[in-house]
Amino acid sequence: MSIDTLVRDLQLDPETADQLFRTARTAREFTDTEVSVEQIRDVYDLIKWGPTAMNIVPLRLLVLRRGAARERLVPLMAEGNRERVATAPMTLVLAADPAFYQHMGTLFPHAPQVQEQLSQSPEACAPMARTNALIQAGYLIVGLRAAGLATGPMNGMDFDAVDAEFFAENGWQSLMVVNVGYTEGSGTALPRLPRLEFADAATVL
Amino acid sequence: MSIDTLVRDLQLDPETADQLFRTARTAREFTDTEVSVEQIRDVYDLIKWGPTAMNIVPLRLLVLRRGAARERLVPLMAEGNRERVATAPMTLVLAADPAFYQHMGTLFPHAPQVQEQLSQSPEACAPMARTNALIQAGYLIVGLRAAGLATGPMNGMDFDAVDAEFFAENGWQSLMVVNVGYTEGSGTALPRLPRLEFADAATVL
């Protein structure tokens, strides 16, 4: 399949297709250019519209600027990830909120019984939160790239320790860390790894 | 925050921001216009480049055109979802492949020991597959919208029954169903539900 065919079928300009997926890479090195909280907020305000089951939108963000709070995260990362978390212009801890049902009066106002039912089933809420927050994590990575930012997602970390350090009060459950910034070139010296072909990843019936 | 600010910070043209997130809706009604397998393949060939842990790309697709195979899925959906699955131009069952490690020689060729290690830890592979396939599900929904398609994701279904009916041989584990097609207008008569504000979904430190 040629690139021309791809672009025609996608109804997406090639530069955007590259920016969001095709040439974007997981960044390992960022420039010193800062990333603002306002930029992260704007990305959130874009991707919050992505669909989730019953509109529960359980993704939560711990936004760690440079400073003391970031330093508390560094030792909880796997050793190979510490330097990158310590030096990234911005670091996000993505988390799921198992108590998302507290917001259902706002999020699902036409069915008030749903909040009551969910509040009585915490064992059902935790996996619902995780499943849908992970889908939203996909939206977020695309949204950060849409904002011209490079991302460095990583899950080599002590999740329980992160939850204890940062989420003891609100009960959020960490999913991954995403470093955010700008890069020179691709932001990585690693070669692009292959992906599975459609024929190996899909069954057509 | 004005729309102008949002668009400026996003470095994304407003039409694309709308198409991917801001005005796109979960479709409940599709037109009769068909969706081809080639379109789904092109979307896959876009979103396969999205990042996953150790490049495991565990998302799998069961692509169900109109016909006998689709009819096998319909009764396994929650009652309220059956008519929509029966009538959608295209239906995808998104799944995770816990045996993704079989492809690591292709996907992660520089570290051949990884495939061996993962093959000995099926209990670790299943959650890895689910976590990363869900992130990829987020990419896929964005990618389908990028291709000008409307999506109707749903998870009201009997997952175990779907796995038994379709994935008994390959061991894939179903995550959700996504109906795909074209819509007149938004594809739904339901009002747009609100989302959480950044201040309610994020902690800034």
Side-chain angles (χ1 to χ4, degrees), chain A residues 74-91:
Chain A
V74 171
L76 311 180
M77 301 300 297
E79 202 169 332
N81 290 337
R82 288 176 195 167
E83 176 72 12
R84 273 179 271 168
V85 167
T87 59
M90 181 67 86
T91 294

Side-chain angles (χ1 to χ4, degrees), chain B residues 12-144:
Chain B
L12 191 68
D13 69 89
E15 292 74 19
T16 304
D18 286 343
Q19 179 181 343
L20 300 185
F21 289 109
R22 296 192 304 188
T23 59
R25 297 290 308 279
T26 288
R28 295 169 65 90
E29 308 261 352
F30 297 100
T31 67
D32 291 335
T33 305
E34 295 297 331
V35 174
S36 69
V37 173
E38 288 68 28
Q39 285 175 285
I40 304 300
R41 183 200 61 195
D42 286 352
V43 170
Y44 173 82
D45 280 331
L46 177 72
I47 68 95
K48 70 182 179 186
W49 296 113
T52 54
M54 289 199 302
N55 196 38
I56 65 174
V57 288
L59 179 68
R60 302 291 182 266
L61 304 179
L62 174 63
V63 180
L64 294 175
R65 295 174 288 195
R66 297 187 195 276
R70 178 92 64 87
E71 293 303 314
R72 291 159 51 201
L73 177 63
V74 172
L76 311 180
M77 301 300 297
E79 202 168 334
N81 289 337
R82 288 177 194 166
E83 177 71 12
R84 274 179 271 168
V85 167
T87 59
M90 180 67 86
T91 294
L92 308 177
V93 181
L94 276 53
D97 183 3
F100 64 84
Y101 56 82
Q102 295 173 342
H103 300 282
M104 293 302 276
T106 302
L107 298 172
F108 213 64
H110 52 290
Q113 75 281 8
V114 168
Q115 177 160 349
E116 176 68 16
Q117 289 165 355
L118 288 170
S119 69
Q120 293 168 4
S121 302
E123 73 287 355
C125 287
M128 275 182 71
R130 181 178 175 87
T131 291
N132 286 276
L134 286 165
I135 297 169
Q136 288 187 280
Y139 304 152
L140 183 77
I141 290 170
V142 176
L144 290 163

